[in-house]
Amino acid sequence: MVHAPPRPPAGAPRTRINLYSDTQTRPTPAMKEAMMRAEVGDEQHGDDPTVHALCDRMAALMGKEAAMFLPSGTMCNVVAILTHCQKGDEVVAHETAHILTSEGGTHAALTGAQIMGLKGPRGMFSADDLRAAIRPRTRYTPPQRLLEVEQTANIGGGAVWPLAQLNAVAGIAHEQGWATHMDGARLMNACVAAGIAPKDMVAGYDSVWLDFTKGLGAPLGAVLCGSSEFIGAAWRWKQRLGGSMRQAGLSAAGCLHALDHHVDRLAEDHANAKALARGLAQIPGVVVEEPDTNLVFFDVKGAGIDVATLQQRLIMQGVAVSGLGGRVRACTHLDVTAPMIEEAVGLIREALAA
Ligand SMILES: *Cc1c(COP(=O)(O)O)cnc(C)c1O
């Protein structure tokens, strides 16, 4: 049995307040118009001008030599790990990392790399934690090859790695001769929250990708950046995995529109997340983690109800939230407004009291 997200029960109203995920944003009318106007070509053949424009812009934004357009963030991680690692190599990441917990065992199934999961609060680990994970190089130990971090850390509660800590762990990895890879699914949330330019945030990382389908609100696409040599080698894996596309400029135009119009506004999502956390903290039995960005995790065990029951009750009120690791996750994004947050807090309070 493969787990699928719960469907609303028969008779449930339409979801009005969708805090399930920032992946559920719909392209705005202006984004759709930009997509319709896109000049397109054969991406696989290197002929799509809009994809080139997006890749050039992303390489400049991230301070890297080159970039590649891919259909999803998961494919960015797969292509990057395939490019950095050989079978049997070890990737060092946090134990809650998306590559370990949420990619269907891809790295065992496809890349052949094994992943060591480090512990640490909020999806992050310290320089000392990383040093303690370095293995002696003997014929017995798996060759350690890659450090991977998530900025922001998803299951870590949307936590933002402080720049000094990101640079410290990258420095240790490089000292060891490892490569460094950043899963930047929500990188722009981190940059906006910290007030740090993307190229400064990712300077210690050899490869980095950004998802356009989270808070940036595009329907499709992610961009992987790195050196020309890295992206050149990554193209073979993109092709092998079927990630080379055709008139992908339609999607790339949505991503360019998102860079122009949906980055600065992430600050609103962060303010809404903070308001949600403040409201939830007033409800008896709820324990909320203070959000850094747009993800609000809270525990309802103290209210004597499990996550699935709360989800079902809320769905009947037109409110969707997700459950992750025994906690509730509520996600703010461009389809969630401040008045919706206020209403959601009231409905969550009622659902917990029912
Ligand atoms: C969503 C997400 C991914 C995967 O991105 P998709 O575009 O959904 O494939 C990878 N890493 C993190 C941290 C994510 O949140």
Side-chain angles (χ1 to χ4, degrees):
M1 227 302 266
V2 172
H3 172 80
R7 289 206 187 174
R14 195 177 57 82
T15 299
R16 286 175 301 113
I17 306 177
N18 193 340
L19 303 170
Y20 186 86
S21 175
D22 50 3
T23 55
Q24 301 209 348
T25 51
R26 309 285 158 95
T28 61
M31 180 182 278
K32 284 187 193 165
E33 257 176 54
M35 294 172 75
M36 270 174 10
R37 282 197 308 268
E39 211 187 313
V40 297
D42 186 341
E43 189 253 2
Q44 192 170 120
H45 202 243
D47 290 339
D48 191 301
T50 309
V51 171
H52 286 318
L54 175 64
C55 288
D56 290 351
R57 182 138 170 215
M58 282 296 294
L61 192 64
M62 299 294 158
K64 305 295 179 204
E65 287 171 356
M68 161 188 283
F69 191 43
L70 286 164
S72 71
T74 300
M75 201 181 278
C76 289
N77 277 335
V78 176
V79 165
I81 292 178
L82 280 162
T83 307
H84 285 300
C85 299
Q86 301 288 316
K87 278 189 182 152
D89 282 353
E90 188 167 62
V91 180
V92 181
H94 193 269
E95 63 178 358
T96 61
H98 199 276
I99 55 169
L100 244 175
T101 63
S102 309
E103 295 183 4
T106 310
H107 302 283
L110 299 182
T111 70
Q114 71 179 37
I115 305 172
M116 178 200 266
L118 303 187
K119 294 192 188 306
R122 307 187 71 214
M124 299 180 277
F125 43 84
S126 65
D128 287 343
D129 296 330
L130 181 59
R131 269 191 229 287
I134 298 169
R135 298 183 191 272
R137 286 177 207 203
T138 74
R139 76 178 78 125
Y140 302 106
T141 53
Q144 293 181 304
R145 181 70 200 112
L146 183 68
L147 170 72
E148 195 260 9
V149 301
E150 262 175 46
Q151 179 72 310
T152 65
N154 177 12
I155 298 179
V160 179
W161 283 75
L163 183 56
Q165 195 175 342
L166 271 184
N167 287 340
V169 294
I172 292 167
H174 285 145
E175 259 166 45
Q176 294 299 312
W178 309 351
T180 52
H181 173 67
M182 183 185 286
D183 172 338
R186 297 187 179 83
L187 175 62
M188 289 306 184
N189 292 86
C191 292
V192 167
I196 294 173
K199 69 174 184 335
D200 297 329
M201 190 69 99
V202 309
Y205 289 77
D206 301 309
S207 55
V208 55
W209 62 269
L210 172 67
D211 218 333
F212 286 92
T213 61
K214 303 273 161 90
L216 296 182
L220 199 76
V223 174
L224 176 65
C225 305
S227 67
S228 303
E229 192 189 343
F230 171 83
I231 293 295
W235 261 99
R236 170 149 287 134
W237 288 112
K238 173 173 156 83
Q239 190 68 33
R240 284 178 175 160
L241 293 169
S244 295
M245 297 176 277
R246 299 301 184 185
Q247 286 69 38
L250 283 179
S251 305
C255 301
L256 283 164
H257 180 87
L259 285 178
D260 287 334
H261 301 284
H262 294 172
V263 174
D264 293 343
R265 65 152 307 287
L266 292 171
E268 279 172 47
D269 299 343
H270 302 165
N272 283 337
K274 286 194 165 56
L276 178 61
R278 276 196 303 273
L280 291 170
Q282 319 260 302
I283 303 176
V286 174
V287 178
V288 199
E289 295 164 33
E290 175 63 20
D292 282 354
T293 54
N294 69 326
L295 308 180
V296 181
F297 280 77
F298 58 102
D299 199 314
V300 292
K301 282 190 215 70
I305 150 173
D306 60 45
V307 175
T309 309
L310 176 65
Q311 279 183 298
Q312 289 302 313
R313 285 184 190 165
L314 287 175
I315 273 295
M316 297 312 289
Q317 302 300 324
V319 179
V321 293
S322 62
L324 257 181
R327 298 172 296 166
V328 186
R329 191 187 75 171
C331 210
T332 59
H333 51 74
L334 84 174
D335 292 338
V336 176
T337 61
M340 287 183 188
I341 293 295
E342 212 173 300
E343 194 187 344
V345 170
L347 291 169
I348 292 169
R349 180 188 290 274
E350 282 169 26
L352 289 172

